[in-house]
Short mmCIF file of all heavy atoms in Angstrom, two decimals:
data_model
loop_
_atom_site.label_atom_id
_atom_site.label_comp_id
_atom_site.label_asym_id
_atom_site.label_seq_id
_atom_site.Cartn_x
_atom_site.Cartn_y
_atom_site.Cartn_z
N HIS A 1 0.87 -1.19 0.00
CA HIS A 1 0.05 0.01 0.01
C HIS A 1 0.87 1.20 -0.02
O HIS A 1 2.06 1.21 0.51
CB HIS A 1 -0.88 0.06 1.25
CG HIS A 1 -1.88 -1.07 1.23
ND1 HIS A 1 -1.73 -2.34 1.54
CD2 HIS A 1 -3.21 -0.99 0.86
CE1 HIS A 1 -2.76 -3.06 1.44
NE2 HIS A 1 -3.76 -2.32 0.99
N ASP A 2 0.37 2.33 -0.52
CA ASP A 2 1.21 3.58 -0.52
C ASP A 2 1.00 4.23 0.91
O ASP A 2 0.35 3.74 1.78
CB ASP A 2 0.80 4.55 -1.65
CG ASP A 2 -0.64 4.98 -1.64
OD1 ASP A 2 -1.29 5.00 -0.48
OD2 ASP A 2 -1.19 5.40 -2.68
N SER A 3 1.58 5.43 1.01
CA SER A 3 1.59 6.15 2.28
C SER A 3 0.20 6.62 2.73
O SER A 3 -0.07 6.92 3.92
CB SER A 3 2.56 7.36 2.26
OG SER A 3 3.84 6.81 2.20
N THR A 4 -0.72 6.69 1.77
CA THR A 4 -2.12 7.01 2.12
C THR A 4 -3.06 5.78 2.35
O THR A 4 -4.22 5.90 2.70
CB THR A 4 -2.79 7.84 0.97
OG1 THR A 4 -2.91 7.04 -0.20
CG2 THR A 4 -1.97 9.12 0.70
N GLY A 5 -2.50 4.58 2.22
CA GLY A 5 -3.23 3.36 2.46
C GLY A 5 -3.88 2.78 1.23
O GLY A 5 -4.53 1.74 1.37
N SER A 6 -3.68 3.34 0.10
CA SER A 6 -4.22 2.73 -1.14
C SER A 6 -3.32 1.59 -1.69
O SER A 6 -2.10 1.70 -1.63
CB SER A 6 -4.37 3.82 -2.26
OG SER A 6 -5.27 4.83 -1.81
N ARG A 7 -3.94 0.59 -2.21
CA ARG A 7 -3.27 -0.52 -2.75
C ARG A 7 -2.31 -0.14 -3.89
O ARG A 7 -2.77 0.71 -4.74
CB ARG A 7 -4.25 -1.54 -3.27
CG ARG A 7 -3.64 -2.77 -3.89
CD ARG A 7 -3.61 -3.90 -2.85
NE ARG A 7 -3.19 -5.15 -3.45
CZ ARG A 7 -1.96 -5.73 -3.24
NH1 ARG A 7 -1.08 -5.08 -2.48
NH2 ARG A 7 -1.66 -6.78 -3.82
N LEU A 8 -1.07 -0.63 -3.98
CA LEU A 8 -0.16 -0.34 -5.08
C LEU A 8 -0.59 -1.02 -6.32
O LEU A 8 -0.87 -2.25 -6.32
CB LEU A 8 1.24 -0.71 -4.68
CG LEU A 8 1.89 -0.04 -3.45
CD1 LEU A 8 3.24 -0.64 -3.18
CD2 LEU A 8 2.07 1.44 -3.69
N SER A 9 -0.65 -0.26 -7.41
CA SER A 9 -1.16 -0.75 -8.65
C SER A 9 -0.24 -0.29 -9.80
O SER A 9 0.33 0.79 -9.78
CB SER A 9 -2.55 -0.22 -8.93
OG SER A 9 -2.89 -0.44 -10.32
N GLY A 10 -0.03 -1.24 -10.73
CA GLY A 10 0.85 -0.89 -11.95
C GLY A 10 0.22 0.21 -12.84
O GLY A 10 0.93 0.73 -13.67
N ARG A 11 -1.04 0.53 -12.58
CA ARG A 11 -1.64 1.57 -13.42
C ARG A 11 -1.29 2.97 -12.99
O ARG A 11 -1.53 3.96 -13.59
CB ARG A 11 -3.11 1.42 -13.35
CG ARG A 11 -3.64 0.11 -13.95
CD ARG A 11 -5.19 0.10 -14.05
NE ARG A 11 -5.68 -1.19 -14.47
CZ ARG A 11 -5.69 -1.59 -15.79
NH1 ARG A 11 -5.19 -0.80 -16.66
NH2 ARG A 11 -6.09 -2.76 -16.08
N CYS A 12 -0.61 3.09 -11.79
CA CYS A 12 -0.20 4.33 -11.22
C CYS A 12 1.25 4.50 -11.23
O CYS A 12 2.04 3.56 -11.26
CB CYS A 12 -0.72 4.53 -9.79
SG CYS A 12 -2.53 4.38 -9.67
N THR A 13 1.72 5.77 -11.12
CA THR A 13 3.08 6.09 -10.96
C THR A 13 3.28 6.39 -9.45
O THR A 13 2.49 7.13 -8.83
CB THR A 13 3.48 7.33 -11.79
OG1 THR A 13 3.28 6.98 -13.16
CG2 THR A 13 4.85 7.76 -11.54
N TYR A 14 4.38 5.89 -8.89
CA TYR A 14 4.68 6.10 -7.51
C TYR A 14 6.10 6.63 -7.38
O TYR A 14 7.00 6.27 -8.15
CB TYR A 14 4.59 4.78 -6.68
CG TYR A 14 3.20 4.24 -6.63
CD1 TYR A 14 2.87 3.27 -7.58
CD2 TYR A 14 2.29 4.60 -5.75
CE1 TYR A 14 1.57 2.79 -7.61
CE2 TYR A 14 0.98 4.11 -5.66
CZ TYR A 14 0.67 3.19 -6.63
OH TYR A 14 -0.63 2.70 -6.65
N GLU A 15 6.30 7.42 -6.31
CA GLU A 15 7.69 7.90 -5.99
C GLU A 15 7.98 7.47 -4.55
O GLU A 15 7.26 7.79 -3.64
CB GLU A 15 7.79 9.40 -6.12
CG GLU A 15 9.19 9.93 -6.17
CD GLU A 15 9.27 11.31 -6.63
OE1 GLU A 15 9.08 12.17 -5.79
OE2 GLU A 15 9.50 11.57 -7.81
N VAL A 16 9.04 6.70 -4.46
CA VAL A 16 9.54 6.24 -3.16
C VAL A 16 10.68 7.26 -2.76
O VAL A 16 11.68 7.33 -3.45
CB VAL A 16 10.07 4.83 -3.14
CG1 VAL A 16 10.63 4.37 -1.84
CG2 VAL A 16 9.03 3.83 -3.68
N THR A 17 10.38 8.13 -1.77
CA THR A 17 11.26 9.19 -1.38
C THR A 17 11.67 9.17 0.06
O THR A 17 10.95 8.70 0.91
CB THR A 17 10.58 10.54 -1.71
OG1 THR A 17 9.47 10.70 -0.89
CG2 THR A 17 10.27 10.66 -3.13
N GLY A 18 12.85 9.72 0.31
CA GLY A 18 13.30 9.95 1.67
C GLY A 18 14.70 9.31 1.86
O GLY A 18 15.49 9.31 0.95
N GLN A 19 14.90 8.81 3.08
CA GLN A 19 16.10 8.15 3.45
C GLN A 19 15.82 6.81 4.08
O GLN A 19 14.70 6.60 4.55
CB GLN A 19 16.95 9.05 4.33
CG GLN A 19 17.41 10.35 3.65
CD GLN A 19 18.35 11.09 4.54
OE1 GLN A 19 18.63 10.80 5.65
NE2 GLN A 19 18.94 12.17 3.94
N THR A 20 16.82 5.95 4.19
CA THR A 20 16.69 4.68 4.88
C THR A 20 17.39 4.82 6.26
O THR A 20 18.28 5.65 6.41
CB THR A 20 17.20 3.54 4.11
OG1 THR A 20 18.62 3.72 3.94
CG2 THR A 20 16.55 3.45 2.79
N PRO A 21 17.00 3.95 7.20
CA PRO A 21 17.82 3.89 8.42
C PRO A 21 19.21 3.40 8.04
O PRO A 21 19.43 2.91 6.99
CB PRO A 21 17.08 2.85 9.25
CG PRO A 21 15.67 2.73 8.69
CD PRO A 21 15.81 3.12 7.21
N PRO A 22 20.16 3.63 9.02
CA PRO A 22 21.56 3.21 8.70
C PRO A 22 21.66 1.77 8.36
O PRO A 22 21.04 0.90 8.99
CB PRO A 22 22.27 3.51 10.06
CG PRO A 22 21.38 4.28 10.86
CD PRO A 22 19.96 4.18 10.32
N ALA A 23 22.39 1.43 7.26
CA ALA A 23 22.64 0.07 6.83
C ALA A 23 23.79 0.10 5.95
O ALA A 23 24.12 1.14 5.23
CB ALA A 23 21.42 -0.47 6.06
N ARG A 24 24.58 -0.96 5.92
CA ARG A 24 25.67 -1.11 5.09
C ARG A 24 25.29 -1.11 3.61
O ARG A 24 25.91 -0.49 2.71
CB ARG A 24 26.59 -2.38 5.39
CG ARG A 24 27.82 -2.49 4.57
CD ARG A 24 28.62 -3.67 4.89
NE ARG A 24 28.82 -3.78 6.35
CZ ARG A 24 30.00 -3.34 6.91
NH1 ARG A 24 30.88 -2.78 6.19
NH2 ARG A 24 30.14 -3.54 8.23
N LEU A 25 24.18 -1.71 3.33
CA LEU A 25 23.67 -1.87 1.99
C LEU A 25 22.14 -2.04 2.09
O LEU A 25 21.67 -2.60 3.05
CB LEU A 25 24.20 -3.09 1.30
CG LEU A 25 23.67 -3.45 -0.04
CD1 LEU A 25 24.11 -2.47 -1.12
CD2 LEU A 25 24.03 -4.88 -0.48
N TRP A 26 21.40 -1.47 1.16
CA TRP A 26 19.93 -1.72 1.07
C TRP A 26 19.55 -1.92 -0.33
O TRP A 26 20.26 -1.47 -1.23
CB TRP A 26 19.10 -0.63 1.73
CG TRP A 26 19.25 0.77 1.23
CD1 TRP A 26 20.00 1.73 1.73
CD2 TRP A 26 18.57 1.27 0.07
NE1 TRP A 26 19.92 2.86 0.96
CE2 TRP A 26 19.05 2.65 -0.05
CE3 TRP A 26 17.76 0.80 -0.85
CZ2 TRP A 26 18.66 3.52 -1.10
CZ3 TRP A 26 17.23 1.62 -1.88
CH2 TRP A 26 17.70 2.99 -1.99
N THR A 27 18.44 -2.65 -0.53
CA THR A 27 17.91 -2.86 -1.88
C THR A 27 16.41 -2.59 -1.80
O THR A 27 15.80 -2.84 -0.73
CB THR A 27 18.13 -4.32 -2.34
OG1 THR A 27 17.49 -5.18 -1.45
CG2 THR A 27 19.64 -4.61 -2.52
N LEU A 28 15.87 -2.09 -2.89
CA LEU A 28 14.38 -1.90 -3.05
C LEU A 28 14.02 -2.73 -4.27
O LEU A 28 14.52 -2.45 -5.35
CB LEU A 28 14.00 -0.43 -3.22
CG LEU A 28 12.55 -0.24 -3.50
CD1 LEU A 28 11.76 -0.48 -2.20
CD2 LEU A 28 12.31 1.19 -3.97
N THR A 29 13.23 -3.77 -4.12
CA THR A 29 12.79 -4.68 -5.19
C THR A 29 11.29 -4.60 -5.34
O THR A 29 10.59 -4.57 -4.39
CB THR A 29 13.16 -6.08 -4.78
OG1 THR A 29 14.55 -6.17 -4.32
CG2 THR A 29 12.99 -7.07 -5.90
N VAL A 30 10.85 -4.63 -6.57
CA VAL A 30 9.46 -4.66 -6.94
C VAL A 30 9.07 -6.00 -7.39
O VAL A 30 9.66 -6.64 -8.16
CB VAL A 30 9.07 -3.46 -7.97
CG1 VAL A 30 9.81 -3.77 -9.29
CG2 VAL A 30 7.62 -3.37 -8.15
N TYR A 31 7.93 -6.48 -6.72
CA TYR A 31 7.29 -7.75 -7.01
C TYR A 31 5.82 -7.50 -7.55
O TYR A 31 5.25 -6.45 -7.35
CB TYR A 31 7.23 -8.63 -5.81
CG TYR A 31 8.61 -9.07 -5.30
CD1 TYR A 31 9.29 -8.28 -4.37
CD2 TYR A 31 9.20 -10.22 -5.75
CE1 TYR A 31 10.54 -8.66 -3.91
CE2 TYR A 31 10.47 -10.58 -5.28
CZ TYR A 31 11.09 -9.86 -4.33
OH TYR A 31 12.33 -10.19 -3.83
N ASP A 32 5.32 -8.55 -8.19
CA ASP A 32 3.91 -8.47 -8.52
C ASP A 32 3.03 -8.85 -7.30
O ASP A 32 3.65 -9.20 -6.27
CB ASP A 32 3.51 -9.28 -9.76
CG ASP A 32 3.69 -10.77 -9.60
OD1 ASP A 32 3.78 -11.22 -8.37
OD2 ASP A 32 3.78 -11.38 -10.61
N GLY A 33 1.77 -8.77 -7.42
CA GLY A 33 0.92 -9.02 -6.27
C GLY A 33 1.05 -10.46 -5.71
O GLY A 33 0.68 -10.74 -4.59
N ASP A 34 1.53 -11.40 -6.53
CA ASP A 34 1.69 -12.78 -6.15
C ASP A 34 3.03 -13.09 -5.54
O ASP A 34 3.36 -14.19 -5.16
CB ASP A 34 1.47 -13.75 -7.35
CG ASP A 34 0.07 -13.65 -7.93
OD1 ASP A 34 -0.87 -13.45 -7.10
OD2 ASP A 34 -0.10 -13.75 -9.11
N GLY A 35 3.89 -12.04 -5.40
CA GLY A 35 5.17 -12.21 -4.80
C GLY A 35 6.27 -12.64 -5.78
O GLY A 35 7.39 -13.08 -5.37
N GLN A 36 5.97 -12.59 -7.08
CA GLN A 36 6.99 -12.95 -8.09
C GLN A 36 7.70 -11.69 -8.66
O GLN A 36 7.07 -10.59 -8.60
CB GLN A 36 6.24 -13.61 -9.30
CG GLN A 36 5.51 -14.87 -8.90
CD GLN A 36 6.45 -15.95 -8.37
OE1 GLN A 36 7.51 -16.22 -8.87
NE2 GLN A 36 5.97 -16.51 -7.30
N LEU A 37 8.91 -11.79 -9.00
CA LEU A 37 9.64 -10.60 -9.47
C LEU A 37 8.86 -9.99 -10.67
O LEU A 37 8.26 -10.75 -11.49
CB LEU A 37 11.05 -10.98 -9.96
CG LEU A 37 11.99 -11.20 -8.93
CD1 LEU A 37 13.37 -11.76 -9.44
CD2 LEU A 37 12.29 -10.00 -8.08
N MET A 38 8.78 -8.67 -10.67
CA MET A 38 8.03 -7.90 -11.71
C MET A 38 8.72 -8.13 -13.06
O MET A 38 9.86 -7.87 -13.28
CB MET A 38 7.98 -6.46 -11.35
CG MET A 38 7.27 -5.58 -12.37
SD MET A 38 5.57 -5.89 -12.45
CE MET A 38 4.89 -5.71 -10.82
N ARG A 39 7.94 -8.65 -14.03
CA ARG A 39 8.39 -8.78 -15.37
C ARG A 39 8.31 -7.48 -16.11
O ARG A 39 7.37 -6.71 -16.02
CB ARG A 39 7.63 -9.87 -16.11
CG ARG A 39 7.83 -11.19 -15.50
CD ARG A 39 6.98 -12.28 -16.20
NE ARG A 39 7.06 -13.48 -15.47
CZ ARG A 39 7.22 -14.68 -16.05
NH1 ARG A 39 7.24 -14.80 -17.30
NH2 ARG A 39 7.24 -15.73 -15.31
N ASN A 40 9.44 -7.18 -16.84
CA ASN A 40 9.36 -5.91 -17.63
C ASN A 40 10.37 -6.06 -18.74
O ASN A 40 11.28 -6.92 -18.70
CB ASN A 40 9.62 -4.68 -16.75
CG ASN A 40 10.99 -4.77 -15.99
OD1 ASN A 40 12.02 -4.75 -16.62
ND2 ASN A 40 10.95 -4.87 -14.71
N PRO A 41 10.25 -5.21 -19.81
CA PRO A 41 11.04 -5.41 -20.96
C PRO A 41 12.60 -5.18 -20.71
O PRO A 41 13.40 -5.82 -21.35
CB PRO A 41 10.61 -4.30 -21.93
CG PRO A 41 9.35 -3.80 -21.37
CD PRO A 41 9.24 -4.17 -19.96
N ILE A 42 13.01 -4.38 -19.72
CA ILE A 42 14.38 -4.16 -19.54
C ILE A 42 14.95 -5.05 -18.46
O ILE A 42 16.21 -5.06 -18.23
CB ILE A 42 14.73 -2.68 -19.27
CG1 ILE A 42 14.07 -2.28 -17.85
CG2 ILE A 42 14.26 -1.81 -20.33
CD1 ILE A 42 14.62 -0.89 -17.41
N GLY A 43 14.17 -5.84 -17.80
CA GLY A 43 14.62 -6.85 -16.84
C GLY A 43 15.17 -6.26 -15.49
O GLY A 43 15.85 -6.92 -14.77
N ARG A 44 14.77 -5.03 -15.23
CA ARG A 44 15.27 -4.33 -13.97
C ARG A 44 14.11 -4.50 -12.92
O ARG A 44 13.05 -4.09 -13.11
CB ARG A 44 15.56 -2.95 -14.21
CG ARG A 44 16.03 -2.30 -12.94
CD ARG A 44 16.69 -0.93 -13.16
NE ARG A 44 17.44 -0.59 -11.99
CZ ARG A 44 18.73 -0.63 -11.89
NH1 ARG A 44 19.41 -0.92 -12.96
NH2 ARG A 44 19.30 -0.27 -10.76
N THR A 45 14.46 -5.08 -11.78
CA THR A 45 13.48 -5.27 -10.75
C THR A 45 13.88 -4.62 -9.42
O THR A 45 13.16 -4.69 -8.48
CB THR A 45 13.24 -6.77 -10.46
OG1 THR A 45 14.47 -7.40 -10.13
CG2 THR A 45 12.68 -7.45 -11.66
N GLU A 46 15.08 -4.06 -9.31
CA GLU A 46 15.55 -3.48 -8.07
C GLU A 46 16.56 -2.41 -8.23
O GLU A 46 17.18 -2.22 -9.30
CB GLU A 46 16.10 -4.58 -7.15
CG GLU A 46 17.48 -5.05 -7.56
CD GLU A 46 18.09 -5.93 -6.52
OE1 GLU A 46 17.33 -6.49 -5.59
OE2 GLU A 46 19.28 -6.20 -6.54
N PHE A 47 16.73 -1.60 -7.20
CA PHE A 47 17.76 -0.63 -7.05
C PHE A 47 18.51 -1.01 -5.74
O PHE A 47 17.92 -1.36 -4.79
CB PHE A 47 17.30 0.78 -6.97
CG PHE A 47 17.23 1.50 -8.22
CD1 PHE A 47 15.97 1.81 -8.77
CD2 PHE A 47 18.37 1.91 -8.91
CE1 PHE A 47 15.92 2.44 -9.98
CE2 PHE A 47 18.26 2.52 -10.16
CZ PHE A 47 17.06 2.82 -10.65
N ALA A 48 19.84 -0.75 -5.70
CA ALA A 48 20.64 -0.97 -4.53
C ALA A 48 21.12 0.46 -4.11
O ALA A 48 21.28 1.38 -4.96
CB ALA A 48 21.76 -1.84 -4.79
#
């Protein structure tokens, strides 16, 4: 869900903004609603 409580949908554009708590490394990965890696033409599913 987004910060307002609405379900995340591929029909919308979202911006994940801010900072993370201290960590040596972090990753943000996008999955589909079934928990499978998001399929897309460029094959990118995460940022580190």
